[in-house]
Amino acid sequence: MSTTTSATLPDILLIGATGRTGRLVLESALKRGHKVVALIRESSSLSPQTNLKIAKGSPLEPAAITTALALTTGPVIIISTLGQTRTSGNPFAATTSPPLFMSHSASAVVQAATAPKFRVQKLILMSMFGTGSSFANLNCLMQATMRYSNMKQSLDDQNAVDEIVKQSGLTFVMPRPAMLKGETALPVKSLGDAGEKAGFMPSVSAQSCAEFMLDAATSAEWDGKTPVLSN
Ligand SMILES: NC(=O)c1ccc[n+]([C@@H]2O[C@H](COP(=O)([O-])OP(=O)(O)OC[C@H]3O[C@@H](n4cnc5c(N)ncnc54)[C@H](OP(=O)(O)O)[C@@H]3O)[C@@H](O)[C@H]2O)c1
C-alpha cells in the first residue's frame, strides 16, 4: 500500500470501468479516496457515486479522452482495463472488437495524455501474461494456443500496445496478469517482466490486479515495468 496521503492523491481517469477488473478498480479507487473520471461508451452505464464523474465516448477517439481528462482537477493517473469483446464468454472465442482495438486505444490515450494542459503522471495499462518477453515463459500449451487460436490477434494487439506505450515517453506500468481466477485480493507475486518461475498454469484474481494497479498509481516502485502477476 502506498504512503501517499488522501490530500495528495491523484485523480484517476479510468477506461474500462464497466468491465470485470475495471469495476473493482473503480470501487477500490473511490474507497481509497481518489476522485475518478470513468470514460465509458455511449451504450454503457454506471451508477452515480460521490467523487465519480462519468464521461461518455469512445476510447479510440483522442477527443473523447481529452474531454474526460478535462473533468480531472489536478495530477492524474490514467488506468485502462479495456478488453476485447468476444462472441462468447470463452477467452478463445472470436473477437467482436474493431481490429487492433487495444493498440488503437493506446495510441489515442498517448495522444491525449501528452497534451501539456493535463498533468498526466502515469499510464497504467492492463496487459496479459504472454506479452513481449513473457511469451517465453508461458507453458507450451498456452504458447500453442496463443500462436494458433483467436488469442493470436489479442496477443499481437497487446504487443503493439507495449511498443506504443514504451515509445510514448510517458511514465507507465503495464502489468501482465496470469489467468484471471478467484474473487479475493490475495497477495500478489510479481514474477518479473518475463514471468520467470511462473509455474505451469498460474492465476491471479481480478481484485488482486485492481489493488496492484492502484498501489502502482501512487508508488514509483513499478514505474517503467511490465510485471507478470500471479497469486
Ligand atoms: N481473462 C483473463 O484471464 C485475463 C488474463 C490476463 C489479462 N487479461 C486482460 O485484462 C484486461 C481486462 O480484462 P477484464 O476481463 O476485466 O475485461 P472485460 O470484463 O472484458 O471488460 C472490458 C472493458 O472494455 C470495454 N470495451 C470493450 N470493447 C469496447 C469498445 N469497442 N468500446 C469501448 N469500450 C469497450 C468494456 O466496456 P462495455 O462494458 O461497454 O462492454 C469493458 O469496460 C483485458 O485486456 C484482458 O485481455 C485477461
Side-chain angles (χ1 to χ4, degrees):
M1 190 71 79
S2 101
T3 53
T4 307
T5 65
S6 59
T8 58
L9 279 176
D11 287 6
I12 288 177
L13 169 57
L14 179 57
I15 304 175
T18 53
R20 177 183 181 182
T21 312
R23 285 183 181 278
L24 301 172
V25 173
L26 175 60
E27 187 184 337
S28 184
L30 292 172
K31 269 190 199 148
R32 290 177 185 225
H34 292 278
K35 290 180 189 155
V36 179
V37 176
L39 175 62
I40 62 175
R41 54 178 156 182
E42 290 291 345
S43 55
S44 281
S45 62
L46 281 173
S47 302
Q49 293 193 66
T50 306
N51 287 331
L52 169 64
K53 292 178 187 167
I54 298 168
K56 289 216 166 178
S58 169
L60 298 171
E61 296 293 336
I65 298 162
T66 298
T67 301
L69 276 171
L71 295 174
T72 61
T73 54
V76 57
I77 307 281
I78 300 179
I79 299 181
S80 173
T81 56
L82 277 184
Q84 297 188 347
T85 46
R86 299 189 176 282
T87 51
S88 79
N90 185 327
F92 305 118
T95 180
T96 52
S97 296
L100 296 174
F101 169 63
M102 304 290 284
S103 47
H104 286 173
S105 176
S107 294
V109 166
V110 165
Q111 190 179 326
T114 43
K117 63 181 167 180
F118 301 122
R119 287 190 280 157
V120 177
Q121 294 182 324
K122 196 182 304 193
L123 305 184
I124 302 178
L125 273 64
M126 188 166 170
S127 182
M128 65 181 187
F129 186 19
T131 304
S133 58
S134 69
F135 187 83
N137 288 304
L138 289 174
N139 70 51
C140 55
L141 292 176
M142 283 307 295
Q143 284 189 353
T145 304
M146 292 273 190
R147 278 197 179 109
Y148 303 116
S149 77
N150 286 317
M151 290 294 288
K152 182 176 185 323
Q153 57 76 33
S154 299
L155 181 64
D156 290 346
D157 203 7
Q158 288 286 13
N159 281 330
V161 171
D162 204 74
E163 287 297 313
I164 289 162
V165 172
K166 284 178 178 169
Q167 287 172 14
S168 70
L170 294 162
T171 303
F172 69 85
V173 184
M174 286 187 284
R176 296 171 171 173
M179 183 177 28
L180 297 180
K181 196 173 162 188
E183 302 298 323
T184 46
L186 297 170
V188 171
K189 283 185 220 154
S190 162
L191 304 170
D193 288 352
E196 297 92 346
K197 301 181 187 162
F200 188 73
M201 195 57 92
S203 65
V204 62
S205 75
Q207 186 78 56
S208 297
C209 292
E211 302 304 339
F212 177 90
M213 288 188 278
L214 288 167
D215 286 349
T218 52
S219 155
E221 182 178 0
W222 302 102
D223 289 0
K225 295 184 179 157
T226 56
V228 173
L229 304 181
S230 76
N231 282 135

